[in-house]
Amino acid sequence: MLSEREPDAPVVGRAAQAAATRQQIIETAQRLFAARGFQATSLQAIADEMGLTKAAVYYHFRTKAQLLHASLDFAVEEMTVLLDEVAGMTSRQERLDAYAVGWVDFLVRHRELGTMLLHDPEIRAASIYAENDGRRRRVLRVLFGDSPTPTERMAYVMCVWMLEGLGELTDLADEDLRATLLLTARGLLALPDQPGARR
């Protein structure tokens, strides 16, 4: 059971504990959203799962929608870091493979997102699945240059759709899931010869 507060703890310690509690709330919400669905998961249920009062959860998140967005924000942050790393690579093939590996590692780490997206339209609507145009354009530019071909654009879209497909692979252990997804991502990004394709 989590302690809701420690009055005698130093300020830095309290801040660190608050940040840790907030993260645990997010992780608990992700797990319950995946298992029960967004509508069926209340702030009270999240509090009960953690051994907290509803007021303790409410201190960090005033609404369930706010908690949902916070539970998805990490995905944008992680993928931004990956894209920054990939953008610094000079070889096109190196960029494509690094992106495939990074994307697959993300999918395996957060495989519950697939279940959430597959079974819950509200979560799907709020998620990174509905990517904003700026992020999508940046990924395409980093991977394929300023004028990606239709095949390249579709390869990227299919990689994004792998997130939703995770809900169909819940029977696989992490190691097997990673191997399956990596084979798929590398296949999608191999981009067979086509008129106008660049190397």
Side-chain angles (χ1 to χ4, degrees), residues 15-38:
Q17 181 182 10
T21 299
R22 185 180 190 278
Q23 184 59 36
Q24 286 176 296
I25 292 170
I26 291 171
E27 291 171 1
T28 302
Q30 288 174 339
R31 188 171 66 253
L32 294 181
F33 289 159
R36 305 178 184 179
F38 179 72

Side-chain angles (χ1 to χ4, degrees), residues 128-149:
I128 57 162
Y129 186 88
E131 289 194 310
N132 67 49
D133 286 343
R135 190 179 316 119
R136 181 179 59 81
R137 285 195 300 269
R138 186 182 180 218
V139 176
L140 287 170
R141 186 171 60 254
V142 167
L143 295 182
F144 305 118
D146 292 332
S147 301
T149 66

Side-chain angles (χ1 to χ4, degrees), residues 82-101:
L82 171 63
L83 201 57
D84 288 344
E85 294 173 356
V86 172
M89 300 174 180
T90 55
S91 161
R92 170 188 163 103
Q93 192 54 51
E94 185 183 18
R95 290 195 305 273
L96 291 173
D97 198 60
Y99 179 80
V101 170

Side-chain angles (χ1 to χ4, degrees), residues 52-66:
L52 295 175
T53 64
K54 184 178 178 180
V57 174
Y58 188 76
Y59 173 80
H60 294 278
F61 300 100
R62 294 303 182 96
T63 67
K64 193 167 60 168
Q66 188 181 61

Side-chain angles (χ1 to χ4, degrees), residues 8 11 76 84 127 141:
D8 300 325
V11 173
V76 174
D84 288 344
S127 74
R141 186 171 60 254

Side-chain angles (χ1 to χ4, degrees), residues 17-189:
Q17 181 182 10
T21 299
R22 185 180 190 278
Q23 184 59 36
Q24 286 176 296
I25 292 170
I26 291 171
E27 291 171 1
T28 302
Q30 288 174 339
R31 188 171 66 253
L32 294 181
F33 289 159
R36 305 178 184 179
F38 179 72
Q39 281 294 344
T41 303
S42 64
L43 291 180
Q44 184 65 62
I46 294 166
D48 291 345
E49 182 77 7
M50 298 179 67
L52 295 175
T53 64
K54 184 178 178 180
V57 174
Y58 188 76
Y59 173 80
H60 294 278
F61 300 100
R62 294 303 182 96
T63 67
K64 193 167 60 168
Q66 188 181 61
L67 178 52
L68 172 59
H69 283 285
S71 74
L72 296 168
D73 282 347
F74 74 91
V76 174
E77 294 170 8
E78 285 193 29
M79 295 313 297
T80 298
V81 170
L82 171 63
L83 201 57
D84 288 344
E85 294 173 356
V86 172
M89 300 174 180
T90 55
S91 161
R92 170 188 163 103
Q93 192 54 51
E94 185 183 18
R95 290 195 305 273
L96 291 173
D97 198 60
Y99 179 80
V101 170
W103 177 235
V104 165
D105 286 345
F106 170 85
L107 294 176
V108 174
R109 279 196 307 275
H110 305 295
R111 56 188 300 169
E112 72 281 354
L113 279 177
T115 301
M116 291 163 63
L117 289 166
L118 186 63
H119 298 295
D120 200 314
E122 290 184 69
I123 292 176
R124 180 171 175 163
S127 74
I128 57 162
Y129 186 88
E131 289 194 310
N132 67 49
D133 286 343
R135 190 179 316 119
R136 181 179 59 81
R137 285 195 300 269
R138 186 182 180 218
V139 176
L140 287 170
R141 186 171 60 254
V142 167
L143 295 182
F144 305 118
D146 292 332
S147 301
T149 66
T151 300
E152 290 167 345
R153 284 156 39 205
M154 182 53 69
Y156 166 67
V157 169
M158 295 301 291
C159 282
V160 173
W161 284 349
M162 288 169 64
L163 176 57
E164 185 174 339
L166 289 176
E168 298 292 342
L169 299 174
T170 55
D171 57 313
L172 297 184
D174 284 356
E175 183 178 343
D176 295 331
L177 178 65
R178 186 180 190 278
T180 299
L181 295 180
L182 194 54
L183 184 65
T184 302
R186 283 175 166 156
L188 287 168
L189 295 172

